[in-house]
Amino acid sequence: MHHYKDLGLCNTKEMFHKAITGNYAIPAYNFNNMEQLQAIITACIETKSPVILQVSSGARKYANQILLRYMAMGAMEIIKTAGLSLPVALHLDHGDTYELCVSCIESGFSSVMIDGSAHSFEKNIELTKKVVDYAHQYDVSVEGELGVLAGIEDEVSHEASHYTNPDDVEEFVGKTGVDSLAISIGTSHGAYKFKLKPGESAPPLRFDILEEVERRIPGFPIVLHGASSVMPEYVNMINEYGGKMENAAGVPEDQLRRAAASAVCKINIDSDGRLAMTAKIRQVLATKPAEFDPRKYLGPAREELIAMYKHKNEHVLGSAGKA
Ligand code: G3H
Ligand code: 13P
Ligand code: ZN
């Protein structure tokens, strides 16, 4: 057992409490490789932001669970060397089984999501409670989910979204003992969140559902998945340099600012990082076709990621200066 506290990580309890009372949200950025982790850490050091480092089961398979633990330890060492003590959580994104959650906790994760949203309400409660009972023995935070986001949730694919029913949240939170709750209010995963005709803008998120959830469970930490803005500058850059991403659209940043000021205290962003990285790599390879040193395109991609994460912390989530 590698306990997260021995790695210098923290769970999400205090982070969420401060974020709710301070009307901002903690960034939860996914990473799969060294450059993404370096960019997240650098951006959060430079903006003095708390952060949740998020790993999906796909990322865990890709990067290797042992290496991931050492990468998280390395990140904590870099933060310490910078003379800072940023709160950092290592979180399992969309855990789909009890066994996966246990394995992550044993390898040093300080927070896990058990995504039982594909199950019935009763089965979701049963599975989530089982994970909570195990995780809480080690002071590990647990995120549950009610409602279904359209799109792909790891290996679970959903055709349509089902908004969270506010009537369910009190019972779910009470019976499971979860520490935070992901809800569905109109976001979805990936780069194609809305089918928009030219000139059309994205439909607003269902803030009425969010407000009703807040009324039912006052002060309880809410999580927003699928919160990439699908930044048009990166989509355009990808298309300009040989890519093909038609009608990609995300959640407008003003909607995310509004969510961050509410009980939403964790905002999940993965696709924006993928887009920034791909856009920059495409640009370098297209404009410097003779280049073959990976550092010459991964380096600029990492710089672009740093700028993007700093922008999110400073101007969207409001987490800058909160560490
Ligand atoms: O919500 C899903 C995350 O963006 C992770 O995606 O399973 O492709 O790593 P992934
Ligand atoms: P995006 O695809 O909008 O970045 O959402 C990421 C996410 O919710 C990870 O859990
Ligand atoms: Zn998600």
Side-chain angles (χ1 to χ4, degrees):
M1 170 91 186
H2 301 273
H3 196 269
Y4 71 86
K5 287 181 186 166
D6 299 331
L7 312 185
L9 298 160
C10 62
N11 67 21
T12 58
K13 207 167 281 178
E14 200 181 329
M15 286 188 192
F16 286 171
H17 176 70
K18 288 185 175 165
I20 291 183
T21 50
N23 300 317
Y24 61 93
I26 309 289
Y29 297 134
N30 291 67
F31 77 99
N32 298 266
N33 63 30
M34 182 186 76
E35 283 78 9
Q36 289 170 322
L37 180 61
Q38 287 175 318
I40 296 167
I41 290 301
T42 304
C44 290
I45 287 175
E46 290 182 7
T47 58
K48 296 198 168 45
S49 171
V51 67
I52 296 171
L53 302 172
Q54 203 156 252
V55 174
S56 69
S57 65
R60 200 162 178 254
K61 278 187 210 126
Y62 179 83
N64 182 298
Q65 52 165 320
I66 298 169
L67 193 52
L68 275 174
R69 184 171 70 250
Y70 283 98
M71 284 169 83
M73 279 167 76
M76 296 316 293
E77 209 48 45
I78 289 169
I79 292 168
K80 209 161 85 186
T81 308
L84 296 169
S85 60
L86 307 182
V88 179
L90 182 62
H91 174 80
L92 168 66
D93 191 25
H94 294 284
D96 56 351
T97 63
Y98 170 78
E99 290 74 20
L100 175 60
C101 293
V102 168
S103 169
C104 285
I105 291 167
E106 286 179 345
S107 72
F109 282 57
S110 61
S111 176
V112 292
M113 174 188 194
I114 176 69
D115 181 354
S117 62
H119 299 292
S120 67
F121 183 61
E122 291 71 26
K123 180 80 204 298
N124 190 357
I125 289 179
E126 188 191 321
L127 176 61
T128 306
K129 185 180 169 359
K130 192 172 169 194
V131 172
V132 168
D133 288 345
Y134 179 81
H136 282 184
Q137 295 177 73
Y138 301 100
D139 210 13
V140 168
S141 310
V142 180
E143 175 184 325
E145 177 167 325
L146 266 183
V148 176
L149 276 71
I152 308 290
E153 294 203 351
D154 257 347
E155 276 135 28
V156 191
S157 134
H158 302 287
E159 290 289 303
S161 67
H162 303 283
Y163 297 125
T164 302
N165 181 355
D167 289 344
D168 292 339
V169 295
E170 242 179 303
E171 185 181 348
F172 185 81
V173 164
K175 287 191 171 164
T176 58
V178 274
D179 303 288
S180 62
L181 182 67
I183 62 168
S184 174
I185 56 167
T187 61
S188 60
H189 292 101
Y192 302 90
K193 300 190 192 300
F194 306 106
K195 286 194 176 70
L196 303 175
K197 297 198 184 87
E200 254 181 17
S201 44
L205 298 181
R206 292 291 303 272
F207 283 99
D208 56 323
I209 297 177
L210 173 60
E211 280 159 19
E212 191 51 32
V213 167
E214 286 186 64
R215 209 178 63 74
R216 306 293 182 102
I217 43 174
F220 193 80
I222 302 299
V223 177
L224 197 59
H225 281 248
S228 279
S229 316
V230 187
M231 299 160 86
E233 57 262 49
Y234 294 131
V235 175
N236 293 341
M237 215 163 134
I238 287 171
N239 289 334
E240 186 184 340
Y241 293 109
K244 196 167 187 302
M245 294 194 71
E246 280 160 16
N247 307 319
V251 184
E253 290 187 341
D254 63 321
Q255 299 270 303
L256 298 171
R257 280 185 205 101
R258 183 173 164 192
S262 73
V264 169
C265 61
K266 172 175 180 270
I267 290 191
N268 285 12
I269 295 176
D270 186 3
S271 297
D272 280 341
R274 297 179 181 195
L275 291 167
M277 200 166 191
T278 301
K280 202 66 198 179
I281 290 172
R282 278 195 177 278
Q283 186 194 47
V284 175
L285 294 181
T287 55
K288 297 177 183 167
E291 196 53 77
F292 68 99
D293 178 346
R295 294 171 298 185
K296 296 288 167 41
Y297 51 85
L298 292 176
R302 186 173 59 193
E303 287 307 309
E304 197 61 49
L305 276 177
I306 294 171
M308 192 275 289
Y309 291 132
K310 284 173 75 172
H311 164 75
K312 296 286 181 188
N313 293 353
E314 285 168 345
H315 304 295
V316 185
L317 279 71
S319 63
K322 305 294 186 186

